Amino acid sequence: MKGKSKPPWITWRRLSQVLFLLLFFILFIKTDYNGTDEIPYAVNILFRIDPLVAAAAMLAAKAVIAILLPALIVVALTLLLGRAFCGWLCPMGALIDFCRRWIRPRANQPRPGLRRIKYVLLALVLTGAFFGLPVVGYFDPFSILVRGFATSVYPAANGAVTEFFTVTYKSAPAWVNAVTEPLYALLKATILPFKQKLFTLSLLSLAMLLAVFALEKLERRFFCRNLCPLGALLALNSWFSLMRGRAADTRCGDCRLCERICRMNAIDGEKRISPEACILCMECVDRCPQEKIAFGFDRPAPKPAFAGMPRRTFVAALVSGAVLPAFLKTRTIAAVPPPELVRPPGALPEPEFLGRCVRCAECMQVCIGNALHPAFLEAGMEGVFTPRLMARVGYCEYNCTLCGQVCPTGAIRPLPLAEKQKTVIGLAIIDKNTCLPFAKGVPCIVCEEHCPTPDKAIKFRMATVLNERGESVRVKQPYVIDRLCIGCGICETRCPVAGRSAIVVTSAGESRHPEIGGGY
């Protein structure tokens, strides 16, 4: 505002967004292997202040989860200031605002009917979590953001940067390399990940993230206005908040500037500011030519949060969340889990694991061996994006406990190293039709060489077989000792057989479900 010496509210809000977005990126980058088996802080901090994640995880566990209690801080903030979290602190909201110069809506036409969707999703997420349909990871903004960056954006950026510096190293003059090589070393030490990783469903994760920004073409903050169930939960609390926006004089002519610039369409034709929609961006305060809009503490309005939402729609969402889990129990995987579904060490029993996992991909990002990948339908529709071991791509490092350290909800328990090294996540099985010593009489001891257990889980028997030339040869044929195998998968990763490995890891005998043998 002209004539004022102090910075406008917009400046403070943008500064806050920049600082918290920077904090997000720092925590995200720190969620990576750093040379030690300990991560003091990671991006999981953000999930532990997320009331939606906390509510869904506790409803699924039907217990209070202590590590998620910091989410009450955001609830208290909302009861005091309204949806300030969405406008000042949320990294997804900040990225959406910063991308506005490149993605502008065709028109900022209000679509009040669409606002009901986020309440429907909130009801479905919370009811489903309680009855056994865990879907919070598909809609929570932090899950979408972190998963998209961890499995797609970050690996792609690392690959592009590495390729650039590889080209300069091979083709550029020596004086150029004198600059680029130290720069690349600096990036590797500070920003770039420990190693290049590949992930399944990376394009799907990217598509979900980009969809949030593409929806900006319809209207500003489309995801925040209409789809975000976390925003819906905060909106419910905001009706009881003490901070209220109001116009000092509703007789301000035909200006209507505040209505046009409001990114959440929170101001109606009579200059009333809805606490359910307002995210306290303060643009209306700073840009009002007559300085008629102000925010202050006042008694909460008695207006119900679900005003305008059909009761049948809300009830239908609740019923869906309660009824759909019953149909999940009619599938064959409910009785016979697929043997290829190998979970990380420390994972809770499957129903509890699915209920707590928020599909954030932090465990995948931090996995040293690139062993953990997003599942697709191996665990059913409710298990998409949950972590599973793909041992042909990477293995579970014997001396690593990082996945349990970064899991924000305790779906993967943090294990001491000694316990982790004894935790069975599966069992290796040899395919004699493709294993070289069995199928072709070719000597090979790769699987035994790489087996990390102190007493090797893979041993040999001498046998006389015919090779491909029909000659009788003596070879060592491997076999697996079940009681010693922990299912780390390094044998499958290192197997030299092309295509499908001659030794594969299944979920048989896993520690969390020893009574059902992992479906094997």
Side-chain angles (χ1 to χ4, degrees):
M1 295 172 60
K2 296 180 180 180
K4 287 195 173 184
S5 58
K6 64 180 182 179
W9 279 108
I10 294 178
T11 301
W12 290 115
R13 191 252 307 163
R14 288 175 178 170
L15 178 61
S16 175
Q17 287 184 305
V18 169
L19 291 177
F20 277 89
L21 189 58
L22 181 61
L23 175 62
F24 162 75
F25 283 121
I26 291 174
L27 292 174
F28 179 83
I29 292 170
K30 289 295 182 181
T31 310
D32 195 12
Y33 178 63
N34 58 13
T36 65
D37 187 41
E38 184 177 352
I39 295 184
Y41 49 90
V43 77
N44 57 18
I45 295 173
L46 294 179
F47 289 93
R48 289 172 180 171
I49 63 171
D50 184 336
L52 179 66
V53 166
M58 292 185 192
L59 286 172
K62 298 175 180 59
V64 175
I65 302 175
I67 58 176
L68 296 177
L69 290 179
L72 293 175
I73 297 174
V74 174
V75 174
L77 178 69
T78 305
L79 292 175
L80 179 65
L81 301 176
R83 288 182 64 179
F85 179 86
C86 301
W88 291 65
L89 308 181
C90 178
M92 178 72 91
L95 284 173
I96 291 174
D97 286 344
F98 294 155
C99 289
R100 189 194 173 207
R101 65 179 61 186
W102 299 286
I103 308 175
R104 292 183 176 275
R106 295 189 180 95
N108 200 30
Q109 295 294 331
R111 297 175 172 87
L114 295 181
R115 288 187 180 180
R116 304 167 185 168
I117 298 176
K118 64 179 181 289
Y119 293 113
V120 172
L121 292 177
L122 176 64
L124 179 63
V125 165
L126 297 184
T127 310
F130 183 80
F131 287 100
L133 180 66
V135 294
V136 63
Y138 305 147
F139 303 108
D140 179 73
F142 288 170
S143 297
I144 296 173
L145 180 62
V146 175
R147 184 173 62 241
F149 270 83
T151 63
S152 186
V153 177
Y154 200 35
N158 180 63
V161 171
T162 301
E163 180 66 21
F164 171 78
F165 283 102
T166 300
V167 171
T168 59
Y169 178 76
K170 293 180 178 179
S171 308
W175 66 269
V176 174
N177 287 329
V179 177
T180 57
E181 287 306 294
L183 177 58
Y184 181 62
L186 176 63
L187 292 175
K188 285 294 292 183
T190 56
I191 297 178
L192 298 180
F194 171 72
K195 62 180 291 186
Q196 178 66 47
K197 294 181 179 177
L198 310 171
F199 294 102
T200 59
L201 305 189
S202 61
L203 294 182
L204 180 58
S205 298
L206 178 64
M208 292 182 67
L209 177 61
L210 293 181
V212 173
F213 296 93
L215 289 171
E216 289 297 289
K217 293 296 293 182
L218 300 180
E219 63 181 6
R220 292 191 67 183
R221 289 257 191 161
F222 184 96
F223 178 80
C224 308
R225 288 190 194 187
N226 308 313
L227 301 179
C228 180
L230 173 58
L233 184 60
L234 297 179
L236 289 177
N237 288 308
S238 70
W239 280 106
F240 306 98
S241 66
L242 299 179
M243 178 68 75
R244 299 277 154 168
R246 56 187 178 276
D249 186 353
T250 57
R251 296 168 298 174
C252 51
D254 298 325
C255 173
R256 310 183 75 86
L257 176 63
C258 57
E259 296 178 50
R260 294 197 303 271
I261 65 174
C262 182
R263 67 196 63 211
M264 295 292 290
N265 191 37
I267 305 176
D268 63 19
E270 298 182 13
K271 306 300 181 294
R272 292 175 299 194
I273 301 177
S274 168
E276 172 252 349
C278 179
I279 58 174
L280 283 84
C281 70
M282 298 298 183
E283 283 199 57
C284 57
V285 175
D286 284 338
R287 295 180 61 180
C288 179
Q290 300 186 49
E291 302 183 17
K292 290 186 176 293
I293 298 179
F295 283 77
F297 293 102
D298 201 352
R299 288 184 299 176
K303 188 177 179 181
F306 289 103
M309 180 177 179
R311 183 179 302 177
R312 291 181 181 180
T313 303
F314 181 65
V315 171
L318 293 177
V319 172
S320 298
V323 172
L324 287 178
F327 292 93
L328 300 182
K329 298 177 182 179
T330 64
R331 301 166 302 171
T332 56
I333 62 172
V336 186
E340 68 273 14
L341 187 64
V342 181
R343 296 300 192 186
L348 298 175
E350 191 68 7
E352 298 175 53
F353 175 78
L354 292 175
R356 285 208 196 186
C357 178
V358 290
R359 288 79 168 153
C360 62
E362 288 185 62
C363 56
M364 306 172 206
Q365 180 185 352
V366 81
C367 181
I368 300 174
N370 198 189
L372 297 180
H373 294 259
F376 187 42
L377 295 175
E378 296 87 354
M381 54 171 275
E382 73 275 26
V384 179
F385 293 123
T386 56
R388 56 163 296 206
L389 182 79
M390 291 190 65
R392 197 53 172 148
V393 178
Y395 61 93
C396 180
E397 170 58 47
Y398 187 65
N399 295 309
C400 173
T401 64
L402 296 178
C403 58
Q405 294 181 41
V406 302
C407 182
T409 62
I412 304 174
R413 295 184 297 111
L415 300 176
L417 182 59
E419 182 181 351
K420 186 265 182 182
Q421 292 175 341
K422 297 178 181 178
T423 299
V424 178
I425 60 175
L427 176 67
I429 300 175
I430 296 173
D431 182 358
K432 296 181 180 180
N433 293 317
T434 56
C435 180
L436 296 178
F438 287 95
K440 298 184 178 181
V442 176
C444 179
I445 61 172
V446 171
C447 56
E448 189 271 348
E449 283 184 322
H450 286 89
C451 183
T453 57
D455 187 2
K456 297 281 188 177
I458 299 176
K459 299 188 185 299
F460 296 108
R461 298 186 183 100
M462 292 302 299
T464 301
V465 298
L466 295 177
N467 62 18
E468 290 182 314
R469 296 189 296 272
E471 301 169 341
S472 180
V473 295
R474 294 277 290 174
V475 294
K476 292 181 177 180
Q477 292 181 335
Y479 66 96
V480 178
I481 301 177
D482 294 0
R483 62 181 175 82
L484 298 178
C485 181
I486 60 174
C488 70
I490 192 171
C491 52
E492 183 175 346
T493 307
R494 301 302 188 201
C495 179
V497 174
R500 179 181 171 85
S501 173
I503 182 169
V504 296
V505 174
T506 72
S507 58
E510 57 181 350
S511 295
R512 64 186 189 137
H513 288 309
E515 72 283 357
I516 63 173
Y520 169 69

